[in-house]
Amino acid sequence: MFRIGENIRLLIDRPDGTYCFRLHNDRVYYMSERILKLATNISRDKLVSVGTCFGKFTKTQKFRLHITALDFLAPYAKFKVWVKPGSEQSFLYGNHIMKSGLGRITENTAQYQGVVVYSMADVPLGFGVAAKTTQECRKVDPMSIVVFHQADIGEYIRSEDTLT
Amino acid sequence: MGRKLDPTVKVKRGPGRKARKQKGAETELSKFLLLPIERAARKQKKQTSKKPGSDDDEDEDEEEEDDDDEEDEKDDLKEDEEEEEDTVQANFDETETFKLPAAADRAKEGLLQMDLQTIHQRIRDNVDVLSHFSEKREEGKERSEYLSLLRSDLCTYYSYNEFLISKLMDIFPVSELIDFLEANEIQRPVTIRTNTLKTRRRDLAQALINRGVNLDPLGKWSKVGLVIYDSSVPIGATPEYLSGQYMLQGASSFLPVMALSPQEGESVLDMSAAPGGKTTYMAQLMRNTGMIVANDANADRLKSVVGNIHRLGVTNAVICNYDGRQFPKVMGGFDRVLLDAPCSGTGVISKDPGVKTGKDEADVLRSAHLQKELILSAIDSVNADSPTGGYLVYCTCSIMVEENEWVVDYALKKRNVKLVPTGLDFGKEGFIRFKERRFHPSLKLSRRFYPHSQNMDGFFVAKLKKLSNTIPTQQKPASTPEKSNMGKKQKLKPEKSETPIITKKAGVKSENKKSDGPKKAKIAKLDGETSKKSAKPNKKQKVKELNGDSTKEVVIEKKKGSQFEKNNKTKNKNLLKKNKNRMGKNKFKKLKNMVGQ
């Protein structure tokens, strides 16, 4: 899921101060250093969240990116997929995107490349993985899956509990 | 309709059918609304005009509360039975006076199922009488009798418990009370707040209209609010909602944040943050700068805070799970604090009808106690010397005086704070006096909101400014406030920490300079405080006298004044006693430096 690559530096050195990542209770949080300092006053077991949670480490130490990181990663995404209005809701319910719902896709998307899914109004909807390369997408039939669903903003309602 | 048993008895009949029809449907129906008991009572009254002897006495005896004369009861019952047999139609004339049913009749009503329509009619009549009491009252009937009848009728009709209805009758005049109760039966309109971090109200409104939502801007007083009339899609599940462009929030919840108006770059504490609507509003006003600490004592509800914060794209928030009362210990020195205290919820009955029957005296007092503790902790967490802030907003979604004005008044007495205008130009002013209690006159600056007048949930907002970081000692020993101030000094950023101990009053400062040695400085400072305190009751006296209030209140104020004087004496005593104990080296040095300045 190396989807922003070198752009990570852009997340660390921002014009309004340095930001940093911190690990707390198996979750990775992204915050400015100012907040970090002030948050040290709060004891570990009482601290619920700082700044934005980007994702968590699972029991087997794999990193799972959360939907909450969407706002930060979306501007730096190299590969984007646009969804037609009709299939928007379907994606928000957690389904994969089919060729019939595909609006646009960035050129030269490799297979199994991490992508950010947008609506036609350029509103970021979530993360996905390209199931086919851009070339293949043109050839394949309308019922086949082109983007695997990974995370979408519908999760704010569906799985509120797992956000913390 | 029955046969006339005695054709010689001339029955007076009211206006005929045609005449009644012309008057209107109400008069037609009122014929059926009267219970036979009430008809009989009316008839009896007519008869008493002919027989001014024993019947009159019987009538008056019946109306006396609780002391049931068995004989009278029996007589009354007999007469009623006879009259019911007569089956005479007494036509209800609207201009006729509203009669209180006899105590015996009311006892019977408990067994009879009175239909709601009758009760409603009776309530309306009762209110009418109470509003024009001198003209419409019955002879010999006290106001309290009408009120007690109204109370029990309201309890049955609107399904409240006695306690709550009595409280509401104290707060509202009777006609407003009916409006309030009616307003609690229907829902307030759904309102949303635009998240200006992600979109503008105009664009959001356009997008929602395209989805099929019928909406309007909330009002002149808000630039981010929208009210939803109806919608073909669920408002809580649109892609705009999910991408965090707006938040479902009650209109009254906008108000405390507008009153607090946090500025960019400030540090703000939200002591009871769940579910996060106010926290996120503050973050958007601050444009994600500064820092917000969102705290809530309930870990489950905190999850919704986390969710909302992430969804709306708030990046400057720290969320923690403390009991609000621990606050200045955990972290202090905030520029602004918002305390939306847990309360009995009497303002949001339309959302939660369980409050109607579930709350009683103990609940309200328990809430009030907790709120008092919380407001003191909140005040202690504010940094009075903050260059941009030093404000605290206290708000509740309750209309009870015990939870609102009383708590703020308590805070005014216990800490160096004062009330300032909230900046909300609509809404009712807070109470200055209520039943036997008198509050500080500045409570006029707080605001009350009601469902029936502002069409939003019942709310109370008060904005306080902290004047100094010292805690006025009354029975506390002198060293503890100093300790807490020392702690604050360490936590404060270096630019901000002036000497928190020396008050801002110039007079006191000069006193400090004159005195030699830190101990005397302490006494001088506290004297300065006490002189400030004793000035307060005098001011109160003057204000009261200017208002031309009754002498009673002046007496009360004088008593308060003397109370303060008493406390001053005890303060000095405690100080002298305390000074016998030695001070630590570091404190001594610090004080010395301060006095040296």
Side-chain angles (χ1 to χ4, degrees):
Chain A
M1 303 186 195
F2 46 102
R3 78 194 61 171
I4 60 176
E6 322 79 42
N7 289 338
I8 203 106
R9 196 173 306 130
L10 290 167
L11 279 179
I12 302 259
D13 302 318
R14 274 165 61 158
D16 51 337
T18 24
Y19 281 69
C20 53
F21 292 89
R22 283 292 177 273
L23 180 64
H24 174 67
N25 289 347
D26 280 344
R27 284 167 188 264
V28 175
Y29 293 99
Y30 172 74
M31 69 203 85
S32 78
E33 282 187 7
R34 210 176 358 112
I35 299 188
L36 175 68
K37 251 188 283 177
L38 295 164
T40 52
N41 286 323
I42 300 174
S43 65
R44 290 261 166 83
D45 54 344
K46 300 284 189 182
L47 183 62
V48 172
S49 162
V50 194
T52 325
C53 170
F54 258 46
K56 65 177 195 187
F57 283 103
T58 63
K59 285 183 198 139
T60 53
Q61 301 308 319
K62 293 206 184 97
F63 184 68
R64 287 218 126 260
L65 196 60
H66 270 191
I67 188 62
T68 47
L70 181 60
D71 288 332
F72 295 97
L73 298 180
Y76 303 117
K78 286 191 192 154
F79 299 102
K80 305 179 189 175
V81 170
W82 282 262
V83 169
K84 287 191 193 146
S87 320
E88 226 175 65
Q89 288 286 56
S90 156
F91 179 67
L92 290 180
Y93 278 115
N95 300 320
H96 303 299
I97 304 179
M98 293 192 289
K99 167 92 186 295
S100 53
L102 187 65
R104 278 158 61 189
I105 183 166
T106 352
E107 276 298 326
N108 296 326
T109 318
Q111 201 177 23
Y112 307 128
Q113 170 72 46
V115 292
V116 178
V117 179
Y118 285 81
S119 79
M120 282 325 247
D122 273 333
V123 173
L125 296 176
F127 300 121
V129 173
K132 311 256 187 270
T133 65
T134 319
Q135 295 289 8
E136 284 176 5
C137 283
R138 292 203 191 103
K139 284 185 263 180
V140 89
D141 66 296
M143 280 292 116
S144 61
I145 296 176
V146 290
V147 176
F148 293 124
H149 166 282
Q150 277 197 322
D152 69 88
I153 49 183
E155 280 172 21
Y156 281 120
I157 301 183
R158 293 201 311 271
S159 41
E160 232 179 353
D161 301 334
T162 58
L163 285 178
T164 187
Chain B
M1 313 276 181
R3 250 180 346 125
K4 283 189 197 164
L5 293 174
D6 186 0
T8 52
V9 173
K10 250 232 161 156
V11 176
K12 204 180 183 184
R13 309 180 102 196
R17 213 192 219 172
K18 237 187 185 173
R20 270 180 282 135
K21 214 177 180 183
Q22 283 173 348
K23 256 192 192 170
E26 223 180 53
T27 51
E28 277 279 359
L29 289 171
S30 59
K31 190 172 64 179
F32 302 104
L33 285 180
L34 261 189
L35 281 188
I37 297 168
E38 292 180 285
R39 261 185 258 150
R42 191 164 291 119
K43 204 194 175 193
Q44 201 175 49
K45 226 234 160 174
K46 282 187 193 157
Q47 284 180 350
T48 56
S49 57
K50 295 174 193 171
K51 301 176 194 174
S54 51
D55 280 306
D56 253 333
D57 293 332
E58 278 185 34
D59 242 330
E60 297 202 36
D61 283 339
E62 284 160 20
E63 295 308 331
E64 296 214 17
E65 291 173 306
D66 294 330
D67 290 35
D68 285 321
D69 231 42
E70 269 185 90
E71 289 178 38
D72 283 343
E73 249 194 322
K74 280 185 192 165
D75 285 342
D76 186 43
L77 283 169
K78 274 188 194 165
E79 285 190 44
D80 278 350
E81 282 171 298
E82 286 171 20
E83 277 148 13
E84 278 175 57
E85 284 176 0
D86 270 346
T87 62
V88 162
Q89 291 177 21
N91 290 316
F92 186 83
D93 196 342
E94 272 185 78
T95 57
E96 227 172 279
T97 52
F98 168 63
K99 301 286 191 304
L100 282 180
D105 298 337
R106 289 182 61 185
K108 266 204 264 170
E109 278 168 24
L111 306 167
L112 286 173
Q113 279 294 329
M114 281 196 75
D115 70 305
L116 288 175
Q117 232 183 352
T118 336
I119 302 184
H120 190 58
Q121 183 65 32
R122 202 160 72 174
I123 291 174
R124 283 218 305 269
D125 293 332
N126 207 334
V127 170
D128 195 38
V129 170
L130 286 168
S131 327
H132 309 99
F133 200 58
S134 36
E135 299 117 51
K136 297 202 179 175
R137 63 181 295 179
E138 266 185 71
E139 294 302 318
K141 307 292 192 298
E142 291 299 319
R143 192 186 174 92
S144 55
E145 290 164 21
Y146 283 98
L147 284 174
S148 65
L149 174 63
L150 182 63
R151 191 168 296 141
S152 56
D153 278 344
L154 288 173
C155 289
T156 1
Y157 189 70
Y158 291 105
S159 8
Y160 281 76
N161 60 359
E162 281 268 349
F163 167 73
L164 202 49
I165 284 280
S166 322
K167 284 278 170 191
L168 293 172
M169 283 178 90
D170 291 330
I171 297 176
F172 295 108
V174 181
S175 48
E176 226 188 305
L177 178 61
I178 304 291
D179 293 333
F180 176 76
L181 294 171
E182 285 291 336
N184 278 338
E185 298 297 314
I186 51 175
Q187 295 286 341
R188 301 275 82 68
V190 174
T191 49
I192 62 177
R193 185 195 85 236
T194 326
N195 180 16
T196 50
L197 291 172
K198 292 201 176 186
T199 183
R200 287 180 307 185
R201 184 165 74 162
R202 229 174 308 150
D203 302 333
L204 175 66
Q206 194 57 49
L208 285 175
I209 289 173
N210 290 341
R211 289 206 184 272
V213 179
N214 199 349
L215 49 76
D216 248 348
L218 186 50
K220 276 188 296 180
W221 51 275
S222 168
K223 293 212 172 72
V224 294
L226 287 165
V227 61
I228 309 284
Y229 295 120
D230 53 56
S231 142
S232 48
V233 290
I235 278 288
T238 61
E240 283 78 28
Y241 176 79
L242 294 171
S243 53
Q245 293 180 23
Y246 65 87
M247 166 116 190
L248 282 168
Q249 188 171 33
S252 47
S253 300
F254 287 57
L255 304 168
V257 182
M258 285 165 66
L260 186 65
S261 52
Q263 307 298 316
E264 297 191 21
E266 288 189 336
S267 66
V268 184
L269 168 65
D270 187 351
M271 278 175 94
S272 287
K278 300 190 187 69
T279 318
T280 46
Y281 192 4
M282 288 199 285
Q284 85 185 44
L285 286 178
M286 291 159 70
R287 312 290 314 159
N288 257 337
T289 59
M291 181 186 82
I292 300 184
V293 176
N295 175 59
D296 201 274
N298 185 341
D300 287 326
R301 297 193 73 206
L302 265 183
K303 290 189 188 164
S304 52
V305 182
V306 176
N308 282 322
I309 282 187
H310 283 104
R311 189 171 56 84
L312 281 109
V314 172
T315 52
N316 60 348
V318 177
I319 306 173
C320 55
N321 175 20
Y322 280 104
D323 180 339
R325 294 170 279 191
Q326 294 174 3
F327 247 92
K329 255 190 264 172
V330 171
M331 241 187 111
F334 288 96
D335 291 315
R336 295 181 197 239
V337 175
L338 174 67
L339 173 56
D340 181 10
C343 62
S344 60
T346 44
V348 288
I349 294 178
S350 54
K351 279 191 201 158
D352 176 18
V355 171
K356 284 192 214 174
T357 47
K359 298 293 174 185
D360 65 337
E361 183 84 41
D363 288 323
V364 175
L365 289 177
R366 203 179 314 133
S367 300
H369 181 77
L370 176 61
Q371 285 154 1
K372 284 179 189 152
E373 292 185 317
L374 283 172
I375 201 175
L376 289 187
S377 305
I379 293 174
D380 294 336
S381 310
V382 181
N383 174 19
D385 304 321
S386 140
T388 55
Y391 292 103
L392 158 75
V393 166
Y394 171 78
C395 61
T396 60
C397 54
S398 158
I399 47 158
M400 297 266 134
V401 178
E402 284 85 1
E403 297 177 314
N404 296 337
E405 281 88 354
W406 202 16
V407 172
V408 178
D409 195 58
Y410 173 82
L412 288 174
K413 286 185 196 144
K414 285 271 183 178
R415 291 286 186 276
N416 286 332
V417 288
K418 68 167 191 183
L419 272 161
V420 293
T422 53
L424 306 163
D425 52 0
F426 63 108
K428 193 163 182 291
E429 291 174 355
F431 296 141
I432 301 189
R433 45 199 198 94
F434 181 71
K435 289 213 278 190
E436 74 278 357
R437 290 199 205 103
R438 298 289 174 270
F439 304 122
H440 196 274
S442 63
L443 271 172
K444 260 199 186 161
L445 296 168
S446 60
R447 287 279 178 270
R448 287 175 151 261
F449 300 92
Y450 295 127
H452 59 282
S453 40
Q454 280 85 28
N455 200 15
M456 55 177 71
D457 296 315
F459 224 69
F460 171 81
V461 183
K463 186 172 180 181
L464 297 150
K465 172 131 177 56
K466 191 167 180 185
L467 300 168
S468 105
N469 279 335
T470 46
I471 298 174
T473 55
Q474 292 190 340
Q475 271 84 43
K476 276 194 220 168
S479 53
T480 36
E482 281 193 49
K483 270 187 196 162
S484 62
N485 286 333
M486 292 300 167
K488 271 195 194 134
K489 237 190 162 177
Q490 287 157 13
K491 285 173 190 164
L492 286 173
K493 294 177 190 172
E495 313 96 64
K496 284 183 189 172
S497 68
E498 278 179 73
T499 55
I501 289 184
I502 295 184
T503 59
K504 288 189 176 175
K505 268 203 169 182
V508 180
K509 257 192 180 168
S510 59
E511 272 183 276
N512 278 343
K513 281 181 188 165
K514 283 182 198 167
S515 57
D516 45 313
K519 290 182 186 176
K520 290 196 181 170
K522 254 203 289 176
I523 302 173
K525 165 203 75 172
L526 285 158
D527 271 338
E529 273 184 81
T530 57
S531 66
K532 203 170 51 163
K533 272 258 152 95
S534 51
K536 253 191 185 176
N538 289 334
K539 270 188 190 170
K540 278 189 205 172
Q541 268 186 333
K542 285 182 191 168
V543 170
K544 290 285 177 193
E545 283 165 6
L546 282 169
N547 285 345
D549 279 331
S550 63
T551 48
K552 221 187 187 183
E553 285 164 8
V554 175
V555 167
I556 293 172
E557 289 309 310
K558 278 188 186 157
K559 274 190 191 164
K560 274 191 186 171
S562 62
Q563 247 185 11
F564 277 122
E565 283 162 352
K566 240 193 190 176
N567 281 338
N568 293 350
K569 289 178 196 163
T570 51
K571 258 187 235 181
N572 287 333
K573 254 194 192 173
N574 283 340
L575 275 174
L576 291 172
K577 277 188 191 166
K578 246 302 159 179
N579 287 336
K580 286 183 187 165
N581 304 335
R582 294 168 132 253
M583 208 191 319
K585 242 196 240 173
N586 289 329
K587 278 190 207 161
F588 180 81
K589 273 189 194 163
K590 274 190 178 161
L591 274 173
K592 206 174 158 196
N593 290 335
M594 278 185 261
V595 171
Q597 289 168 4

